[in-house]
Amino acid sequence: MSNQEALLEINSLHTGFEIEGKTYHAVKDVSFDVKPKEVVCVVGESGCGKSVMSLSIMNLLPKHNGKIDKGEILYKGRNLVNLNDKEMNKIRGKDISMIFQEPMTALNPVLTIGFQMDEVLINHTSMKREEIRKKSISLLKQVGISRGEQIVHEYPHQLSGGMRQRVMIAMAIACQPQLLIADEPTTALDVTVQAQILELITKIQDEVGMAVLLITHDLGVVAEMADRVVVMYAGQVVEESDVDRIFYDAQHPYTKALLTSIPRMEEEREVLNTISGIVPSLKNMPKVGCRFVDRCPDAMPECSKVDPQLGETEKGHSVRCLLYDASHPGKKTEVR
Ligand code: SF4
């Protein structure tokens, strides 16, 4: 059912990769939405399907073996899954923009910064040529690059990682998109530069009035930025709620484990908790039952036999775990 309030609505998304003649799902039955001007953080370890999910939204999956084989991605009610490349190109960069972990993968090393920035405006606006260069320089100023007049003549390799990420953000906001997808935008940067880039995204979000879908494995970033949090594990959403409830009333054993593995100011711990084991690989995903079962401290025998479903435990708080499934005999926690 379409959610009228949502800017982006993902319904039962299944994204698969064909490996040796078989399809393996890196994203399986993922649903959530992003409302206008909201910051939604998608969190989870590497290999949880976060990036595949964001590439699915942008229609940037590897063509040779990746494909969405079920589900909907509704942007303002329009299903992006059904669009061809030409139609998607009109939306990408204009309505929905994306910034990546390593801007060098998105910037062309043999073209100047100015050329690449101008391209975005040429492709998506009716601005005159002479206005375009001025606009590119003013966008660089907006992201804190004061010597934009010089930078437009430089090549990506002449800039630091932080500067390149600022350029990517300038390109991403050139057409005032309504949704910015940021996939681990600070992971490749020094800690001090990370803080500056996050601050910049918040400032721009405020100025442009856009929604942000932020993909991260860093719960510190989540605490800083998120309105709402989607926790993913092994290609599925395992918990979703507003940021306060995720930090103060987490319910899924995986979310709880993630939270105990971050340092806290008020606790004197010399060694941080870790989550034993690893996320199962695509080929080794359990065929039935909970995908977290091998690492879960609360696992029960039935967890390997029954697929837990994502269900609301209270308004605005959903969890995929048999402990919270009222219809399940193994349930041990009261549903509120
Ligand atoms: Fe743990 Fe079972 Fe809940 Fe999975 S369903 S998270 S194994 S208690």
Side-chain angles (χ1 to χ4, degrees):
M1 196 176 71
S2 176
N3 176 351
Q4 295 298 320
E5 274 180 67
L7 181 65
L8 181 79
E9 186 181 348
I10 298 179
N11 290 323
S12 193
L13 183 70
H14 291 66
T15 302
F17 289 91
E18 203 176 306
I19 306 168
E20 293 157 8
K22 277 188 176 174
T23 300
Y24 297 93
H25 285 103
V27 167
K28 194 174 179 207
D29 195 16
V30 164
S31 302
F32 67 91
D33 60 26
V34 182
K35 299 188 174 56
K37 301 183 185 175
E38 189 179 37
V39 179
V40 175
C41 284
V42 180
V43 69
E45 295 160 283
S46 300
C48 281
K50 312 184 298 291
S51 293
V52 173
M53 191 267 304
S54 61
L55 293 175
S56 304
I57 299 170
M58 294 301 274
N59 197 355
L60 291 174
L61 292 165
K63 292 246 184 290
H64 66 284
N65 71 343
K67 93 168 193 308
I68 295 171
D69 45 27
K70 210 171 144 195
E72 294 178 319
I73 300 171
L74 302 175
Y75 174 73
K76 293 184 172 175
R78 190 178 182 200
N79 192 357
L80 303 185
V81 175
N82 297 334
L83 302 189
N84 60 32
D85 286 348
K86 203 172 154 203
E87 291 167 322
M88 198 60 210
N89 279 340
K90 282 192 192 155
I91 289 182
R92 224 187 276 131
K94 186 168 190 296
D95 298 272
I96 308 176
S97 288
M98 184 160 179
I99 52 175
F100 299 87
Q101 182 178 132
E102 176 38 84
M104 274 310 264
T105 56
L107 291 170
N108 189 326
V110 299
L111 298 174
T112 62
I113 298 296
F115 184 95
Q116 298 185 61
M117 292 195 64
D118 294 353
E119 278 263 290
V120 179
L121 295 163
I122 291 166
N123 288 340
H124 292 299
T125 69
S126 52
M127 286 172 79
K128 296 202 181 81
R129 282 253 166 202
E130 54 276 20
E131 294 170 355
I132 281 178
R133 184 46 66 93
K134 274 194 208 149
K135 176 73 179 170
S136 293
I137 293 168
S138 91
L139 283 164
L140 288 172
K141 293 216 160 85
Q142 199 179 347
V143 298
I145 298 177
S146 53
R147 48 178 207 99
E149 288 85 354
Q150 286 94 56
I151 295 283
V152 287
H153 300 294
E154 293 181 6
Y155 291 87
H157 73 270
Q158 294 176 273
L159 309 182
S160 67
M163 287 280 269
R164 285 198 289 261
Q165 199 54 291
R166 283 176 192 269
V167 169
M168 278 306 303
I169 294 171
M171 286 168 71
I173 60 163
C175 301
Q176 305 219 314
Q178 297 203 18
L179 175 64
L180 174 73
I181 301 178
D183 189 355
E184 304 273 10
T186 59
T187 307
L189 305 173
D190 294 343
V191 178
T192 46
V193 183
Q194 281 183 11
Q196 292 165 9
I197 294 293
L198 291 176
E199 217 171 279
L200 177 64
I201 293 175
T202 309
K203 174 181 150 272
I204 300 276
Q205 189 229 352
D206 214 36
E207 286 170 7
V208 178
M210 62 192 178
V212 177
L213 180 63
L214 181 63
I215 317 293
T216 182
H217 65 276
D218 186 336
L219 284 165
V221 171
V222 175
E224 196 74 19
M225 306 274 294
D227 295 315
R228 217 143 44 81
V229 184
V230 174
V231 183
M232 279 187 77
Y233 184 79
Q236 296 183 314
V237 174
V238 295
E239 185 157 6
E240 187 205 328
S241 192
D242 59 74
V243 65
D244 289 343
R245 279 186 288 193
I246 289 293
F247 278 89
Y248 297 107
D249 188 22
Q251 296 181 342
H252 195 281
Y254 178 61
T255 315
K256 289 181 185 172
L258 281 180
L259 289 166
T260 58
S261 62
I262 53 168
R264 293 194 185 245
M265 298 280 279
E266 66 277 13
E267 287 175 22
E268 283 184 23
R269 267 188 288 164
E270 286 186 5
V271 182
L272 289 175
N273 290 334
T274 53
I275 312 174
S276 64
I278 52 167
V279 183
S281 68
L282 270 188
K283 286 181 169 178
N284 293 319
M285 216 53 91
K287 293 205 172 34
V288 65
C290 174
R291 294 181 163 203
F292 189 54
V293 68
D294 287 341
R295 308 173 75 189
C296 180
D298 299 320
M300 310 168 282
E302 50 271 49
C303 297
S304 308
K305 299 177 199 141
V306 181
D307 290 343
Q309 304 299 317
L310 191 68
E312 273 202 336
T313 57
E314 58 189 319
K315 194 163 168 25
H317 193 168
S318 301
V319 183
R320 186 190 295 273
C321 173
L322 295 182
L323 293 174
Y324 298 90
D325 184 341
S327 66
H328 196 268
K331 169 181 123 41
K332 70 175 185 189
T333 306
E334 285 306 314
V335 175
R336 289 176 220 173

